[in-house]
Amino acid sequence: MAMPVAEGAAAFLGVAVRASASLGIGYAIACVVVGTFSTVSMANTAYERTES
């Protein structure tokens, strides 16, 4: 598949927009993945100790 593209300085805007979109999507995916796998949970192991 071929797509016509502008050459020179005119192509910079399109490349910048695509790069920014890709970076934003990648950042969002990374935040979801890191946020999902970095959740720390602890079981409630506290109990009352009775002296006899």
Side-chain angles (χ1 to χ4, degrees), residues 7 21 23 27 42 46-47:
E7 294 183 14
L23 180 66
Y27 184 76
M42 296 174 55
Y47 58 92

Side-chain angles (χ1 to χ4, degrees), residues 42-49:
M42 296 174 55
N44 186 5
T45 57
Y47 58 92
E48 288 187 34
R49 197 170 127 188

Side-chain angles (χ1 to χ4, degrees), residues 13-29:
L13 180 62
V15 171
V17 169
R18 286 190 300 270
S20 298
S22 178
L23 180 66
I25 292 169
Y27 184 76
I29 291 171

Side-chain angles (χ1 to χ4, degrees), residues 28-52:
I29 291 171
C31 287
V32 169
V33 169
V34 170
T36 300
F37 291 112
S38 65
T39 302
V40 176
S41 61
M42 296 174 55
N44 186 5
T45 57
Y47 58 92
E48 288 187 34
R49 197 170 127 188
T50 58
E51 300 281 333
S52 33

